Amino acid sequence: MLFMGSLGFPDENEYDSYLSKHGGSSNAFTETEFTCYYFEVNREYLKGALQRFSQFFISPLVKVEAMEREVQAVDSEFNQVLQSDSCRLLQLHCHTASPDHPFNRFYWGNKKSLVDAMESGVNLREEILQLYSQNYHGGVMKLVVIGGESLDILEDWVTELFCNVKSGQSVSTIYKNDLPIWKAGKLYRLEAVKDVHVLDLTWTLPCLHKEYLKKPEDYLAHLMGHEGKGSLLYFLKAKGWATALSAGVGEEGMRRSSIAYIFVMSIHLTDTGLDMIYEVIGAVYQYIKLLQQSSPQECIFKELQDIANMEFRYSEELRQDEYASELAENLFFYSEEHVIYGDYAFEQWAPELIDHVLSFFSPENMRIDVLSKSFDKQSQVIQHEPWFGSQYIEEDLPESLFKLWSNPPKIDPSLHLPSKNEFIACDFSLRNANANKNLADGDHPKCIIDKPFIKLWYKIDTTFNVPRTNAYFLIALKDGYHTSKNSVLAELFMNLLKDELNDILYQAGVAKLDTSLSIIADKLELKLYGFNDKLSILLSKILSLCRSFSPKSDRFEVIKEDMERAFRNTNMKPLSHALYLRLQILRETFWDIDDRLSCLAGISLPDLLAFIPNLLSQLHIEGLCHGNLSEEEAKAIADIFANAFLVQPLPMELRHQGRVLCLPSAAKLMRNVRVKNELEVNSVIELYFQIEQDIGNEATRLRAITDLFSSIIDEPYFNQLRTKEQLGYVVECGPRMTYRVLGFCFRVQSSEYSPLYLHERVCHFISGVQEILDGLDDESFEHHRSGLIAEKLEKEPSLACETGNHWTQIVDKRYCIVIHTLYHVLVLHMLSRIFY
């Protein structure tokens, strides 16, 4: 409602329209204990945006005529998460909280919660104004402004524009109540929407806001969520009971509030693990007993401290709107000198505090939730959570289990604390000091190796000056996408390989040297990114294991089961389903997920073992090394591949070539498909218009025009279909690039209207686009064009973003403009020649 006009700027759409014209955007979100508003805009229009933004907190109109539409927007947003398992579980936590506890409430909002209140005599506008009057004052507000102007100018603007915000007293955020959140000794079984088995163990800790320099909860999360040898997950995987585990205090408000810190261990179970829940929990308490007996280890804290310090010292820049909202939140929790550093601070070793926090990890303080599709629908004790309609069963746990878990008779000898992390960087020296000047001045990667087996692009970083390197590789496999069965076998091989590598990859990830391994058609995409000191060591370990890898029968069965579950869960969300259907129509070769599931069901370990030698018999590798490494170091990385795989190169004609079907001119093709989840209330309409292949300068001009067109119509499209007509929460449009074929897409997701009606309304908007363009005056057009040019001229915020843009050009084989910078130069040239 605050976005809907103010005394100074009464037009409902003024704020969004101003930002849209000047390359900006905005959003807001409500957490458990605060609401955050933020925006971004091109630099020269910051003050104008602040003028409009500041009025939200001084003189909002809260128009009655806009309220009904915004109630519908709240309902649409709620319906977005109605089939979300994680949201259903969170609401069950609220629903089953003690009746007088602040957590016992509807954690979202929807049309029913608001309309029911109005029908009971509540004046909604008066409630909003009262909420605003009580909470929107300077005593509980924090403001962060990031701009290109000097600090003095920014301070003058803030003083001028925000001086009329109502003053008020700061409020204590310490909640003083010993009322337990949940009843002890309970297990809750919640029916899942997706095909999953998840065991969540939840312990309530005291609020630890003031202990951010000690971070006892992060120390314990590091150990309890560890995935290396000796860890709880390693033990559970060896038993065949689990596939994944995470542990810690989440960042979302209910998990980290002034009321309490909520520590959650989430374990993804196998079918066997689902039948062994009590044994799994018993293993958890064996590990907790190990922590109690081992006492806190300063060397482990020191590792976390070293990693956090180097991550802070060499941190990569965030998007400015994201960074501003993060700092605004930090102002509430950290002292002034730690606002930008508090998240990284491991400053004070406090073993007594760690022991104190560990004492809360008792069976009596534990809540157990089992989220599973395997749910007893015939039970006589099924209950219903009223807002989501979720079915759940509440069970009492036998006292004997509490005694067993409180003091396990033994600790399995395979459980132990993690060994020293060998991947923590020691060398932070920069290679660009001695870089060849011509190379350092280049804007784009250069090809330093071009052989039948490997093609390698290289660019040394001279912009960000951080000891980080991003090394990305596409490994083309023989016959990896030749048939539906081959595609499944290749993905199964990759998942088993990831499982085998997990111990190594996890340790490196803890040290901020991350790895991503995925499959794209017939290609493995391997990405290593982070501190460069140990990158070559990690790559050598990965490729060495890959060369000698032979799947074991026990892990084969577990990973196959996990893949079957993932295939069954594909397309459960309407938006992703719509994207899937579009690509299924457009791509020349596309293996249907149901066919792949059928193939997977019939695959045996001998099938896979027979397939792997052929898969790896011929390879082609194309890579990019970008960041803090010399050309010689990049060539040495290529040598690691050559030494690891003594195989023949895969010829070009045997590599899968992704192609898109050319839609006939003036074709009107429609496909209707039911949602996969019968309980899903949302429908999606997606209109896709194919434009042209992205080849040559004329195509670059077309991309520039398409981007400009998108900039012009995006805000009117959103304003008409979302703000005014309230068709749904998701209303978006924009360019799409599929295998270098340019297109444009309109889509809407709605829980209120049928796809046919949505299609009609989108088409009606499209029929009026010419009128929008005809009504655009020279000044407005120039605002859009200059805003887009400014966006194109914006420098990359981080090494990762620059690498990602270079890599996209390489993957798309856009070698004539292999550089993101040059592409933007061409686009800017085209934009400068486009006139209204």
Side-chain angles (χ1 to χ4, degrees):
M1 288 302 301
L2 297 196
F3 281 32
M4 299 287 108
S6 61
L7 284 176
F9 301 93
D11 184 0
E12 257 186 35
N13 213 35
E14 170 64 25
Y15 174 63
D16 287 336
S17 179
Y18 182 88
L19 294 178
S20 177
K21 286 178 182 176
H22 303 302
S25 62
S26 71
N27 213 332
F29 61 91
T30 296
E31 261 292 1
T32 305
E33 296 181 298
F34 66 86
T35 298
C36 180
Y37 300 80
Y38 60 95
F39 71 84
E40 64 173 354
V41 72
N42 291 336
R43 171 181 166 172
E44 58 267 37
Y45 299 100
L46 174 59
K47 186 173 184 181
L50 283 172
Q51 287 173 330
R52 290 156 177 80
F53 183 74
S54 62
Q55 290 300 305
F56 296 166
F57 315 106
I58 297 170
S59 60
L61 296 179
V62 190
K63 298 178 180 179
V64 174
E65 58 270 25
M67 286 182 57
E68 187 174 336
R69 297 198 307 268
E70 292 311 305
V71 167
Q72 188 60 52
V74 169
D75 198 56
S76 295
E77 185 170 9
F78 173 69
N79 286 327
Q80 286 266 100
V81 302
L82 193 55
Q83 297 298 312
S84 164
D85 282 324
S86 60
C87 294
R88 285 170 166 244
L89 182 57
L90 184 58
Q91 181 54 38
L92 181 63
H93 279 205
C94 294
H95 178 66
T96 54
S98 300
D100 294 328
H101 197 279
F103 281 180
N104 188 289
R105 64 182 64 206
F106 182 27
Y107 195 67
W108 281 262
N110 64 6
K111 190 172 184 178
K112 177 175 171 55
S113 67
L114 293 168
V115 171
D116 282 359
M118 289 189 285
E119 290 177 351
S120 300
V122 172
N123 184 311
L124 196 54
R125 184 171 187 274
E126 287 182 6
E127 288 288 323
I128 291 172
L129 292 174
Q130 184 178 352
L131 175 80
Y132 182 86
S133 175
Q134 291 174 349
N135 295 279
Y136 281 66
H137 59 77
V140 292
M141 292 172 69
K142 306 294 181 183
L143 176 66
V144 172
V145 178
I146 299 175
E149 293 72 14
S150 69
L151 290 177
D152 287 342
I153 290 175
L154 292 176
E155 185 177 0
D156 287 345
W157 287 358
V158 168
T159 303
E160 172 192 346
L161 299 176
F162 290 85
C163 63
N164 289 326
V165 171
K166 185 175 68 173
S167 60
Q169 297 296 313
S170 61
V171 178
S172 172
T173 57
I174 302 300
Y175 176 78
K176 297 178 180 178
N177 194 326
D178 295 329
L179 182 70
I181 302 175
W182 298 291
K183 293 176 283 188
K186 298 291 185 182
L187 183 151
Y188 296 91
R189 297 185 185 272
L190 177 64
E191 183 183 21
V193 174
K194 289 187 174 182
D195 184 1
V196 294
H197 308 316
V198 181
L199 170 65
D200 272 11
L201 306 179
T202 303
W203 294 273
T204 303
L205 311 180
C207 174
L208 297 168
H209 281 342
K210 293 186 176 180
E211 309 297 348
Y212 66 86
L213 295 177
K214 303 167 185 174
K215 292 188 169 55
E217 76 283 5
D218 289 350
Y219 173 92
L220 293 173
H222 169 68
L223 295 176
M224 296 175 72
H226 209 278
E227 299 182 18
K229 288 180 180 176
S231 69
L232 177 61
L233 177 61
Y234 202 88
F235 173 83
L236 295 175
K237 286 173 71 172
K239 291 284 189 181
W241 294 345
T243 58
L245 182 152
S246 62
V249 179
E251 293 300 321
E252 65 271 22
M254 190 174 160
R255 303 292 187 219
R256 193 179 289 260
S257 71
S258 61
I259 295 172
Y261 272 30
I262 308 297
F263 191 106
V264 179
M265 177 180 286
S266 188
I267 306 171
H268 286 251
L269 302 171
T270 61
D271 289 344
T272 303
L274 183 65
D275 295 329
M276 305 290 286
I277 284 175
Y278 293 159
E279 288 79 2
V280 172
I281 298 174
V284 172
Y285 277 99
Q286 285 184 51
Y287 196 83
I288 290 172
K289 185 174 182 179
L290 171 70
L291 295 180
Q292 292 167 337
Q293 291 181 350
S294 303
S295 73
Q297 304 289 304
E298 188 171 8
C299 60
I300 294 175
F301 183 85
K302 181 68 165 56
E303 270 195 2
L304 295 175
Q305 183 183 58
D306 290 343
I307 293 168
N309 283 341
M310 70 184 192
E311 189 180 14
F312 175 73
R313 182 179 178 186
Y314 302 111
S315 60
E316 294 208 78
E317 193 170 311
L318 299 173
R319 282 173 50 105
Q320 296 304 288
D321 56 346
E322 182 182 340
Y323 190 43
S325 63
E326 180 183 295
L327 292 181
E329 182 179 350
N330 287 355
L331 283 165
F332 279 110
F333 301 116
Y334 301 143
S335 58
E336 190 172 311
E337 67 270 28
H338 295 139
V339 169
I340 64 170
Y341 174 60
D343 289 344
Y344 304 87
F346 284 82
E347 290 294 296
Q348 298 173 11
W349 168 238
E352 300 85 2
L353 180 60
I354 292 172
D355 279 333
H356 174 65
V357 173
L358 187 58
S359 70
F360 289 90
F361 288 80
S362 66
E364 294 75 20
N365 187 41
M366 174 181 63
R367 175 194 172 98
I368 304 173
D369 292 279
V370 178
L371 174 70
S372 176
K373 195 75 172 175
S374 299
F375 182 82
D376 183 7
K377 295 184 178 181
Q378 306 305 315
S379 171
Q380 299 300 306
V381 292
I382 289 179
Q383 300 182 60
H384 293 82
E385 191 284 315
W387 295 105
F388 283 80
S390 311
Q391 294 191 119
Y392 72 96
I393 297 171
E394 181 182 301
E395 298 177 6
D396 291 315
L397 293 171
E399 187 65 32
S400 59
L401 284 176
F402 278 72
K403 291 180 180 178
L404 179 64
W405 294 338
S406 293
N407 187 22
K410 66 172 185 175
I411 299 173
D412 192 283
S414 65
L415 293 172
H416 58 79
L417 297 180
S419 55
K420 184 178 179 181
N421 193 325
E422 63 178 308
F423 292 104
I424 297 176
C426 302
D427 178 8
F428 301 102
S429 60
L430 297 181
R431 307 294 194 267
N432 60 21
N434 302 315
N436 178 284
K437 188 176 189 304
N438 292 331
L439 177 62
D441 289 343
D443 286 328
H444 58 279
K446 72 170 187 175
C447 185
I448 58 173
I449 298 175
D450 192 359
K451 296 180 178 179
F453 177 70
I454 186 167
K455 184 172 188 174
L456 186 65
W457 301 84
Y458 164 75
K459 182 178 187 293
I460 192 168
D461 169 51
T462 57
T463 303
F464 302 102
N465 296 314
V466 289
R468 297 174 180 268
T469 290
N470 301 320
Y472 295 176
F473 305 96
L474 272 182
I475 306 170
L477 308 165
K478 185 179 180 183
D479 296 333
Y481 203 67
H482 186 60
T483 65
S484 182
K485 183 176 181 179
N486 281 20
S487 75
V488 174
L489 284 164
E491 187 170 346
L492 185 56
F493 165 74
M494 179 205 68
N495 285 326
L496 280 159
L497 179 61
K498 285 170 67 175
D499 180 68
E500 185 72 13
L501 287 166
N502 190 64
D503 177 31
I504 296 169
L505 302 187
Y506 180 80
Q507 286 277 41
V510 169
K512 306 306 173 184
L513 176 55
D514 290 300
T515 307
S516 165
L517 184 61
S518 58
I519 196 155
I520 305 169
D522 68 334
K523 299 172 184 67
L524 281 179
E525 185 179 61
L526 173 64
K527 294 182 176 181
L528 288 78
Y529 48 99
F531 290 98
N532 59 271
D533 185 26
K534 307 293 175 69
L535 188 146
S536 294
I537 295 172
L538 176 60
L539 180 62
S540 296
K541 288 179 180 289
I542 291 171
L543 298 186
S544 175
L545 194 149
C546 181
R547 179 181 56 193
S548 60
F549 174 59
S550 181
K552 305 293 190 299
S553 59
D554 58 338
R555 298 312 298 163
F556 173 84
E557 294 300 332
V558 168
I559 298 304
K560 180 183 173 183
E561 176 192 311
D562 207 40
M563 274 183 65
E564 288 175 336
R565 194 169 287 124
F567 283 6
R568 284 194 290 270
N569 288 331
T570 299
N571 295 333
M572 290 292 280
K573 294 183 178 180
L575 283 171
S576 59
H577 196 180
L579 168 62
Y580 172 93
L581 293 170
R582 169 160 52 86
L583 296 178
Q584 187 179 46
I585 292 169
L586 289 176
R587 287 181 181 173
E588 183 182 46
T589 307
F590 188 98
W591 304 121
D592 181 73
I593 192 65
D594 292 331
D595 292 341
R596 299 183 78 222
L597 180 58
S598 297
C599 288
L600 180 59
I603 289 174
S604 64
L605 179 58
D607 293 333
L608 181 62
L609 293 174
F611 176 76
I612 292 173
N614 180 67
L615 186 73
L616 302 179
S617 63
Q618 290 179 285
L619 302 173
H620 179 267
I621 297 157
E622 183 161 16
L624 166 66
C625 291
H626 176 215
N628 188 45
L629 79 170
S630 66
E631 186 170 328
E632 292 70 27
E633 287 172 315
K635 289 178 177 178
I637 284 175
D639 290 339
I640 295 174
F641 276 97
N643 295 331
F645 297 108
L646 303 175
V647 298
Q648 292 298 309
L650 183 67
M652 174 68 77
E653 61 269 18
L654 295 183
R655 301 175 213 162
H656 174 73
Q657 303 297 318
R659 282 191 286 266
V660 169
L661 301 179
C662 179
L663 302 181
S665 179
K668 293 184 178 180
L669 308 175
M670 181 177 289
R671 187 172 187 191
N672 269 319
V673 177
R674 280 196 62 79
V675 290
K676 190 169 181 178
N677 174 13
E678 293 298 324
L679 298 177
E680 179 62 66
V681 299
N682 290 291
S683 300
V684 171
I685 172 68
E686 183 168 297
L687 269 69
Y688 171 82
F689 296 87
Q690 197 173 72
I691 300 175
E692 189 58 79
Q693 281 187 280
D694 180 35
I695 298 175
N697 284 354
E698 185 57 33
T700 305
R701 181 176 187 274
L702 199 54
R703 284 190 75 173
I705 292 174
T706 305
D707 286 346
L708 185 56
F709 172 76
S710 179
S711 172
I712 291 169
I713 72 162
D714 180 68
E715 190 276 329
Y717 176 70
F718 185 90
N719 183 50
Q720 180 61 40
L721 300 189
R722 161 74 190 274
T723 305
K724 291 181 178 178
E725 297 189 28
Q726 285 295 326
L727 294 186
Y729 189 71
V730 176
V731 174
E732 56 191 21
C733 65
R736 299 290 187 270
M737 185 66 73
T738 312
Y739 291 147
R740 293 196 65 184
V741 174
L742 180 63
F744 198 90
C745 195
F746 297 85
R747 66 178 185 170
V748 177
Q749 175 170 292
S750 175
S751 59
E752 290 291 314
Y753 300 101
S754 72
L756 289 176
Y757 181 75
L758 298 177
H759 180 238
E760 176 193 321
R761 298 314 301 157
V762 173
C763 289
H764 182 266
F765 174 83
I766 292 171
S767 68
V769 164
Q770 187 64 53
E771 186 178 341
I772 293 173
L773 298 177
D774 290 342
L776 203 65
D777 57 41
D778 290 346
E779 183 181 2
S780 296
F781 176 82
E782 187 54 42
H783 279 317
H784 282 289
R785 187 174 69 159
S786 61
L788 185 58
I789 289 175
E791 185 182 317
K792 300 294 182 187
L793 287 172
E794 192 174 312
K795 293 180 179 178
E796 302 290 2
S798 65
L799 181 72
C801 287
E802 186 182 328
T803 305
N805 286 319
H806 290 318
W807 185 239
T808 298
Q809 309 305 314
I810 291 169
V811 169
D812 287 347
K813 304 286 191 256
R814 197 181 282 113
Y815 296 128
C816 60
I817 45 172
V818 73
I819 43 140
H820 183 67
T821 308
L822 180 54
Y823 164 69
H824 271 174
V825 169
L826 285 169
V827 170
L828 291 169
H829 176 67
M830 300 303 180
L831 283 170
S832 68
R833 298 175 62 188
I834 295 170
F835 299 99
Y836 172 65

